[in-house]
Amino acid sequence: MVQANNYQQYEAFKKKQATLLILIKRLSNVISSLNMSNFEKSLKELESLVLSDSFKVLVLGEFKRGKSTFINALLEDEVLPAYARPCTAIINEVKWGESKRALLHLTKNGNENTLKPKTQEIDVNKIEDYVVITEDVSEIHGNHYDKVELFWPLELCRNGVEIIDSPGLNEHDIRQKITIDYLSTVDAVLFVFSCEALVSKSEMEVIDNILRPAGHNEMFFICNRFNMIKDREKENIKSYGISKLKDKTKPWEKRIFFISALDALEGRIEKDEPRVANSGIVEVERELENFLASDKGRIKILRPSQELKRVIQAARNVIPERESMFRTNLKTLEARYQAAQEPLNRLQTERELIVLRISNFLQQLQQNISHEGDKFYKSMSDKVDEWNNTLKPKTVVNFLSWEGSKPQIERLIKEVSDHFSNQMESELQVWQSKVLEPLISNYLERFLEELGNSTKQFLDQVDTLRLEIAGKEILLVHDIKTTKVSAIERILAAAGGLLIGGVLGNLGLAGMGAVFGYQEMAKAIIPQLLLSVAAIVLLSTNPWAIFPLMATSGAVHGFFTMRSTNKKIQEEIGKRYANKIRDTSEKQGKDIAETVIQKLSENLKLIDKGLGQEIENVREQVNSILREKQKGQDNVDEKINELQSLLKDLNDIDHELSSLIIELALPESH
């Protein structure tokens, strides 16, 4: 990697991050003085989020592409095992650590005693015992380990970069686990190819059907082993690779690299700078730094900055209200608050009605998705014979072979079933685009319109009540600047922010909210929902789900009672495959619907919490003023003077925050 003192863009990002943290602390002090406890909690969580924020880089690639060697070259050390066989069976996350250590995470779905620790320290020299695929097929699909965290004193990781090494893209279940668990949270995807077999059909399917729908339109394509290509053929290989990949990423050719990871790694280990320079990896690192620290770094600052803007706006509204209540006679204020109890109770009822309407909407959507999912599965079972007729298996079962029939039939089962899974994946893409996506989109559009209207009415009532308690005259003596924020965004902000702990943050979509607003975020949820659905469909129809006996010692014993031709075996496999899909269609349809609704229900929880917090904020402010007024007039005068100081602090913070945002918007020279 480039030397530490050349990480200029990472360092510039960290300076902006430090500035943001100072502003968060200063704003927290103001918010605390204004008795805005809910916002105070949100800012503490936001501070923790910014402190822990890192650049997550997911490296993908099929077997024999040199993925682990490439990662080691980035890290300038042989951190990950790289052998001439399928290597990585589980996720490896490489992070900064003062000393080398490894932490093994046990899978949540394993059969281990739940009382056992969820993590355990392992010897860094023995990580291959846990992360390397064995020859036992059943162990691959019944892995008891979820991931390994490797902590290493690496300069790249010191700058907040985490490298995530994934299993090879050779099995549906493994691939989907990577997709769902990581694609929605990573900042960059680096896809490793081999120039010796550049851009296979299966690699393009992953790019088109999984990565791009997940929102990764700015991938890095690493064409490895360029050194293995004859000199006279290199330009042709480059032209071919660029022509196949340039439309799959932005900004096109700038993200396509032809390198030798082995030369880069060995050159760095041997301190051979010319070899490193000729390997092509420096250009990858330079562009990656530019993308992470500049493009992604901008979003990482803008997201919490937008959250701070919302809090500043809320504080600006609170200050004149508090001042008016301080200046109001105690008995008058108590009388106003007493009169507000019935409207506050009505607001609580309105909150419950809004949540009920959302719940009913979700139930209706669930029923429709379940019905469409059931129809999809049944239609797929009818296509199995057609799929079978298009397959010409490479495996020909010979019962007289010295190898025996069992391993041959196992291979044939896997070959046929993989073919079925590929066909299912293609059909799934069509069904999602023509049926499921329009269904969800139409419901979401109607839902957002209704929710926007109902939450606006709710908030109008809240604001009217606040002014009645504080005194409507504050509108005449104060210039209250109001930033246009949608009712839904305000509700989510009251629930703890669009970033913190919510479904949008978990989906890695919160950054969009800082730029485009809630409507766009809601639309951006759909690709994530489709990925979750794809995982259910493909996992339920892969070879290991349809033929679980393959993972046991007596795998195919008795599977067929007589010697049969390839065609009859194929027909039997197809029959069992079709029956399995048909028999489980209703259940799978329900599973698809439950997955979608579960994701959307997290929004329901946030909205419910936000509505409740708006009511609680009214009570909190009035009660805090009453407590202060009961301490005497001297205390009240002091608090009124303090409000002016807090307003000045608030304006200073807002000005500095705006300067930071403007700085982020300015183009940087690289």
Side-chain angles (χ1 to χ4, degrees):
M1 193 73 181
V2 288
Q3 296 301 311
N5 59 4
N6 289 332
Y7 287 116
Q8 296 177 358
Q9 293 185 74
Y10 288 126
E11 291 172 358
F13 165 77
K14 290 168 79 171
K15 288 180 180 178
K16 293 183 179 71
Q17 191 180 51
T19 299
L20 179 62
L21 286 167
I22 292 172
L23 293 175
I24 292 174
K25 286 183 178 295
R26 288 170 56 190
L27 183 57
S28 295
N29 292 333
V30 173
I31 293 303
S32 177
S33 298
L34 293 173
N35 287 96
M36 300 171 68
S37 61
N38 180 59
F39 289 95
E40 189 177 1
K41 292 176 184 176
S42 296
L43 288 176
K44 286 180 180 178
E45 293 183 53
L46 186 61
E47 181 182 10
S48 297
L49 184 148
V50 174
L51 277 170
S52 62
D53 209 355
S54 59
F55 296 110
K56 298 182 185 298
V57 178
L58 178 64
V59 184
L60 298 171
E62 292 191 348
F63 172 47
K64 287 187 176 180
R65 292 336 189 228
K67 179 166 59 71
S68 295
T69 302
F70 168 69
I71 294 175
N72 287 336
L74 283 179
L75 300 173
E76 302 185 40
D77 197 354
E78 292 185 285
V79 179
L80 302 176
Y83 305 123
R85 61 188 176 95
C87 234
T88 310
I90 62 176
I91 284 286
N92 299 299
E93 296 179 348
V94 186
K95 304 177 179 180
W96 166 257
E98 292 289 347
S99 58
K100 298 178 182 179
R101 67 187 188 95
L103 190 63
L104 179 67
H105 292 251
L106 277 62
T107 182
K108 297 177 182 177
N109 298 321
N111 296 320
E112 297 84 358
N113 189 320
T114 55
L115 297 178
K116 287 184 177 180
K118 296 180 181 179
T119 60
Q120 67 183 68
E121 291 272 352
I122 58 175
D123 188 335
V124 294
N125 296 315
K126 296 182 179 180
I127 61 171
E128 59 267 29
D129 294 345
Y130 303 92
V131 305
V132 174
I133 292 176
T134 69
E135 297 298 327
D136 184 356
V137 172
S138 65
E139 187 172 329
I140 300 174
H141 298 272
N143 207 313
H144 297 299
Y145 311 122
D146 188 34
K147 68 178 181 180
V148 170
E149 283 185 288
L150 296 172
F151 299 92
W152 226 266
L154 301 161
E155 289 303 323
L156 175 62
C157 298
R158 186 198 292 271
N159 284 277
V161 179
E162 295 180 10
I163 301 293
I164 303 170
D165 180 27
S166 64
L169 299 175
N170 304 96
E171 302 294 341
H172 281 309
D173 54 351
I174 290 178
R175 182 194 331 172
Q176 293 304 317
K177 177 174 176 54
I178 302 299
T179 301
I180 300 306
D181 290 352
Y182 283 88
L183 274 186
S184 59
T185 60
V186 299
D187 297 295
V189 171
L190 276 60
F191 200 114
V192 180
F193 302 90
S194 172
C195 288
E196 296 172 298
L198 193 57
V199 192
S200 67
K201 179 182 177 183
S202 58
E203 288 169 330
M204 293 299 283
E205 287 175 348
V206 171
I207 292 169
D208 289 335
N209 299 336
I210 296 178
L211 300 179
R212 286 170 61 82
H216 290 285
N217 297 313
E218 299 176 286
M219 287 174 280
F220 286 67
F221 294 135
I222 313 300
C223 304
N224 189 25
R225 298 193 177 125
F226 193 52
N227 58 310
M228 302 301 292
I229 304 300
K230 295 178 181 178
D231 288 343
R232 65 175 181 273
E233 297 175 359
K234 285 186 175 179
E235 285 304 315
N236 289 336
I237 287 292
K238 269 192 172 183
S239 298
Y240 174 76
I242 291 172
S243 67
K244 296 288 286 187
L245 296 171
K246 68 178 181 179
D247 294 331
K248 308 298 181 182
T249 186
K250 297 177 182 178
W252 305 287
E253 290 96 329
K254 194 175 181 181
R255 295 279 161 79
I256 304 172
F257 304 89
F258 295 83
I259 74 162
S260 168
L262 184 60
D263 283 342
L265 175 60
E266 292 183 348
R268 280 171 168 161
I269 291 174
E270 298 167 5
K271 309 298 182 185
D272 187 343
E273 289 301 324
R275 189 177 181 187
V276 173
N278 291 330
S279 71
I281 199 167
V282 175
E283 289 75 15
V284 176
E285 293 165 337
R286 187 179 296 120
E287 182 61 25
L288 180 61
E289 180 184 358
N290 178 37
F291 177 67
L292 292 176
S294 179
D295 298 352
K296 289 295 180 177
R298 181 178 291 111
I299 294 297
K300 286 180 182 293
I301 300 296
L302 279 175
R303 293 190 308 181
S305 295
Q306 188 70 17
E307 195 71 11
L308 292 192
K309 284 285 187 180
R310 290 189 179 96
V311 177
I312 289 171
Q313 180 63 59
R316 277 215 177 96
N317 291 336
V318 163
I319 287 176
E321 292 174 8
R322 288 180 68 85
E323 181 177 348
S324 180
M325 284 189 285
F326 274 129
R327 296 184 183 279
T328 300
N329 177 273
L330 177 58
K331 288 186 178 181
T332 301
L333 183 59
E334 288 175 336
R336 289 178 183 173
Y337 189 39
Q338 182 60 38
Q341 295 309 306
E342 185 178 344
L344 284 170
N345 291 334
R346 287 200 300 269
L347 281 171
Q348 177 61 33
T349 301
E350 182 62 27
R351 167 196 177 186
E352 293 168 0
L353 289 174
I354 291 174
V355 172
L356 179 61
R357 287 197 292 269
I358 298 172
S359 180
N360 290 338
F361 155 79
L362 292 177
Q363 288 180 12
Q364 186 180 5
L365 177 59
Q366 183 172 6
Q367 291 172 1
N368 279 273
I369 293 176
S370 179
H371 175 68
E372 292 296 339
D374 183 16
K375 284 173 56 180
F376 168 71
Y377 269 88
K378 286 177 179 175
S379 68
M380 291 304 97
S381 67
D382 295 336
K383 292 192 175 186
V384 172
D385 286 343
E386 178 186 330
W387 297 345
N388 229 337
N389 291 333
T390 63
L391 175 65
K392 305 298 180 185
K394 296 178 182 178
T395 301
V396 178
V397 177
N398 180 1
F399 288 92
L400 300 178
S401 170
W402 61 269
E403 183 183 17
S405 60
K406 176 179 177 292
Q408 296 179 71
I409 294 176
E410 282 184 337
R411 288 198 300 273
L412 181 58
I413 289 174
K414 187 176 188 308
E415 189 175 348
V416 175
S417 300
D418 281 349
H419 174 66
F420 290 166
S421 292
N422 290 332
Q423 295 297 318
M424 178 67 81
E425 188 169 355
S426 298
E427 295 285 351
L428 174 64
Q429 293 298 321
V430 174
W431 178 71
Q432 285 188 323
S433 64
K434 292 188 175 181
V435 178
L436 186 59
E437 185 173 355
L439 174 62
I440 296 174
S441 295
N442 290 336
Y443 265 82
L444 271 181
E445 185 175 346
R446 289 180 8 234
F447 164 69
L448 289 175
E449 182 178 358
E450 180 181 339
L451 181 61
N453 292 333
S454 58
T455 53
K456 183 180 184 303
Q457 292 174 7
F458 177 90
L459 292 177
D460 286 345
Q461 295 177 59
V462 170
D463 291 340
T464 298
L465 190 58
R466 286 169 53 188
L467 292 177
E468 288 176 350
I469 296 172
K472 293 184 179 180
E473 62 272 12
I474 66 171
L475 294 176
L476 302 176
V477 298
H478 290 282
D479 179 19
I480 303 176
K481 297 179 180 178
T482 302
T483 302
K484 287 292 182 181
V485 177
S486 74
I488 299 176
E489 286 177 295
R490 176 173 156 184
I491 292 295
L492 291 176
L498 297 176
L499 311 176
I500 303 167
V503 61
L504 302 177
N506 292 338
L507 288 173
L509 300 168
M512 295 191 65
V515 182
F516 303 111
Y518 182 78
Q519 293 280 346
E520 285 71 20
M521 275 194 295
K523 294 176 183 177
I525 291 174
I526 293 177
Q528 304 297 331
L529 297 177
L530 298 182
L531 279 176
S532 299
V533 169
I536 289 177
V537 174
L538 297 179
L539 286 174
S540 67
T541 56
N542 69 30
W544 318 106
I546 301 298
F547 304 108
L549 289 179
M550 284 190 64
T552 67
S553 57
V556 194
H557 180 66
F559 194 88
F560 302 106
T561 57
M562 63 181 69
R563 296 182 179 185
S564 304
T565 62
N566 254 52
K567 183 177 180 181
K568 286 192 174 297
I569 294 175
Q570 245 182 279
E571 289 174 352
E572 181 65 21
I573 296 172
K575 180 181 177 181
R576 295 190 180 205
Y577 195 94
N579 288 340
K580 178 71 173 180
I581 295 175
R582 189 178 298 110
D583 292 344
T584 61
S585 64
E586 184 176 354
K587 177 185 180 301
Q588 297 301 335
K590 289 180 179 178
D591 287 347
I592 288 173
E594 287 176 4
T595 297
V596 173
I597 298 306
Q598 183 179 6
K599 296 285 187 184
L600 294 177
S601 292
E602 295 183 41
N603 273 310
L604 172 59
K605 295 175 185 177
L606 280 177
I607 290 168
D608 185 23
K609 181 181 177 182
L611 293 170
Q613 193 58 55
E614 285 285 348
I615 298 172
E616 181 58 31
N617 288 343
V618 176
R619 298 186 186 277
E620 180 182 54
Q621 284 299 312
V622 180
N623 286 327
S624 68
I625 296 295
L626 290 174
R627 287 193 299 269
E628 296 295 343
K629 289 179 76 68
Q630 289 165 0
K631 294 178 184 179
Q633 188 60 41
D634 289 344
N635 181 66
V636 169
D637 293 340
E638 181 182 338
K639 291 297 180 181
I640 292 175
N641 291 332
E642 181 184 339
L643 286 175
Q644 299 308 311
S645 176
L646 292 174
L647 181 59
K648 181 181 183 305
D649 291 343
L650 201 62
N651 290 334
D652 290 343
I653 294 168
D654 193 18
H655 176 73
E656 292 178 42
L657 184 61
S658 296
S659 297
L660 178 62
I661 293 173
I662 291 171
E663 184 181 352
L664 289 167
L666 294 175
E668 300 180 23
S669 57
H670 305 305

